[in-house]
Amino acid sequence: MEEFESALSKYDYSCEMGDVVKGTVFVADATGAFIDIGAKAPAFLPLSEASLHKVKSVDEMGLYPGVRDEFAIINEDDKNGRMIVSLRKLQYDLAWERVRQMQTEDVTVKGTIVSANRGGIVVMTESLRAFLPFSQTTPGKNTEEWVGKELPLKFIEVDEEQTRLVVSNRKAQAESQVALGIGAVVLGTVQSVKPYGAFIDLGGVNGLLHISQVSHERITTLENVFQPGDKLKVMILSQDRERDRISLSTKKLEPTPGDMLRNPALVFEKAEEMAMSFRQRVAQAEAAARAEEAQFEDGSFGLGSNFLSEIGGSNAPEQTSLLFPGAQTANEDFLSRTF
C-alpha cells in the first residue's frame, strides 16, 4: 500500500462527482473493493454500490484484483480522503436508457411481482422497480398469491427525472391475443356501443365489431344486443397495423344464422370450432389464389364458379377473379364477405 501511495503521489489528478472513470481493482474484501483510478488515494467501491442487485461479495460481480472497469464517482469520503465509486450508478443509468428504448419500440418484457398495495402492484423489471396499476391488469382479488409470479408487461410511462416507471399487463396481453392473427378467437369486453358497431376492449387494445359482423340476421340497433361491460368471444377478421385498426366478428362464429341474437352462449361455446372452420376455408381460398396466379402467369386464368360455390354457398360473389396477383385489399374484402 505504501508503494502504491508513493507511486500515486507523482501524479496530479482531479475529478468531480458524477464523472465516469476507468479503474483497476487491486484489493477486495468483505466490505467492497479498492480501485486504482489514477488519483493520489485509492477510490473505494462499497459492496452496496457493486450492483443493482444484492450481492454478498464483489467476487459475484467478477471484481478480482487486476480487473479493469468503468466506475462512477458518487461521493468523497472526507474522513479518509478518498473517492467513493459505484458500478450500481452506471447500471441504473443504463437500465433507464434501456427501458426508454423499449417503450419507444413498444417491446413486451417480463416483470416479477414483489408486492401489492391499495393502488396497484410493484414489479421488478429490467432491474428497476415499476408500478402496475390495478386498472392495467386483472390479477384477481387476492394479489398476495401473485407475489413472485411473472407477468408480460409493456411500458406506458418512463420518467427517470421523477423516478416514475409505469407498466401495463393489459397492453401486453392484448398484443399477444392480436398477434394470433386473422381467424383467431380472443376474449373481449364491450367498451362502448355506437349505431354502427361496438368497440371491444381486447385488454388494452380496442377492436371494432361492426353491426354487419354481429350476426347473419339483420340488426337495426345494437343497444338491444350489447351493453358496456359485456364479456364475449370475438374473432379477428382483419388488422391494419399502420392505422392501428382491428376488425372483429361474431357473425363468423355462429353455428347457424342468428345464434348470436338467440343463443350467444352457444356461439361462445362453439367459437374455437367455428373459427377453425373459417381458417380452413381461408387456407383453401389462399391455395386457390396461388393456383390462379400460376394460371395467370401461363396466360390463362379464372378461379371457377364451382370453388366459390363450395366455400361461399349462396353468398358467393358472382365475380370469378377477385383473387388476382397483388390485389391484397380485394382479397381481404373477398374473405370478409364470402366467409
Side-chain angles (χ1 to χ4, degrees):
M1 179 66 74
E2 291 179 357
E3 291 177 358
F4 175 74
E5 292 179 348
S6 176
L8 288 178
S9 65
K10 300 177 182 178
Y11 297 91
D12 183 17
Y13 180 85
S14 63
C15 57
E16 299 178 353
M17 284 180 52
D19 287 350
V20 176
V21 296
K22 288 187 176 181
T24 303
V25 179
F26 70 93
V27 174
D29 59 26
T31 62
F34 289 94
I35 313 294
D36 174 10
I37 61 172
K40 291 184 178 181
F44 182 64
L45 172 71
L47 181 62
S48 61
E49 292 296 329
S51 173
L52 271 176
H53 309 283
K54 288 185 178 180
V55 293
K56 294 182 179 179
S57 70
V58 294
D59 293 353
E60 294 182 31
M61 298 303 298
L63 295 175
Y64 302 97
V67 171
R68 189 168 177 79
D69 208 336
E70 287 190 334
F71 303 87
I73 296 175
I74 60 171
N75 206 345
E76 184 176 352
D77 187 344
D78 294 331
K79 182 179 179 181
N80 296 294
R82 63 191 179 190
M83 295 290 181
I84 304 299
V85 296
S86 172
L87 281 176
R88 183 180 183 277
K89 176 65 167 60
L90 296 179
Q91 295 169 0
Y92 180 80
D93 292 343
L94 182 61
W96 277 100
E97 181 181 341
R98 187 166 57 245
V99 297
R100 279 194 297 270
Q101 184 65 27
M102 288 178 169
Q103 182 191 32
T104 300
E105 298 177 358
D106 199 30
V107 173
T108 298
V109 298
K110 292 288 187 180
T112 302
I113 296 177
V114 295
S115 64
N117 54 45
R118 289 168 54 183
I121 298 169
V122 178
V123 298
M124 286 297 298
T125 181
E126 298 300 316
S127 301
L128 297 173
R129 295 175 76 89
F131 180 65
L132 174 61
F134 284 131
S135 62
Q136 292 297 324
T137 189
T138 53
K141 295 182 179 179
N142 190 0
T143 54
E144 293 182 359
E145 296 180 356
W146 281 60
V147 174
K149 292 188 177 181
E150 277 194 345
L151 291 176
L153 304 168
K154 279 186 177 292
F155 297 103
I156 57 177
E157 185 177 349
V158 177
D159 188 340
E160 181 180 3
E161 186 175 337
Q162 299 294 326
T163 319
R164 182 173 174 81
L165 187 61
V166 184
V167 293
S168 172
N169 171 243
R170 294 180 64 204
K171 287 190 67 176
Q173 288 179 322
E175 182 182 76
S176 65
Q177 288 198 88
V178 174
L180 294 173
I182 295 174
V185 175
V186 296
L187 297 173
T189 304
V190 176
Q191 188 177 57
S192 62
V193 179
K194 306 295 182 182
Y196 52 85
F199 284 96
I200 310 299
D201 180 4
L202 303 177
V205 176
N206 287 338
L208 175 63
L209 176 58
H210 193 269
I211 190 170
S212 65
Q213 285 298 326
V214 174
S215 175
H216 283 85
E217 287 195 2
R218 187 173 181 274
I219 300 173
T220 57
T221 175
L222 283 178
E223 282 78 5
N224 298 329
V225 182
F226 299 125
Q227 294 295 323
D230 287 351
K231 307 290 184 181
L232 67 162
K233 288 184 178 180
V234 293
M235 189 186 76
I236 298 175
L237 191 62
S238 66
Q239 298 181 59
D240 186 339
R241 295 186 182 278
E242 291 184 0
R243 300 172 68 185
D244 197 23
R245 291 183 178 179
I246 303 171
S247 297
L248 308 171
S249 177
T250 52
K251 175 181 178 179
K252 311 301 182 188
L253 302 178
E254 289 184 319
T256 57
D259 280 345
M260 192 61 199
L261 305 180
R262 294 186 296 270
N263 191 358
L266 176 64
V267 176
F268 301 151
E269 179 184 343
K270 299 288 186 180
E272 284 75 14
E273 180 182 332
M274 296 301 297
M276 181 178 295
S277 177
F278 173 86
R279 292 193 294 269
Q280 290 173 346
R281 296 197 300 273
V282 170
Q284 292 173 3
E286 291 176 345
R290 289 191 293 269
E292 180 74 11
E293 288 182 13
Q295 292 178 1
F296 183 86
E297 291 174 357
D298 292 340
S300 60
F301 63 95
L303 186 61
S305 59
N306 289 338
F307 172 76
L308 290 174
S309 298
E310 288 180 11
I311 63 172
S314 60
N315 293 324
E318 295 180 2
Q319 298 98 315
T320 58
S321 58
L322 278 174
L323 301 178
F324 53 86
Q328 181 65 28
T329 302
N331 185 18
E332 291 179 355
D333 181 62
F334 166 75
L335 295 178
S336 174
R337 292 186 290 110
T338 302
F339 302 137

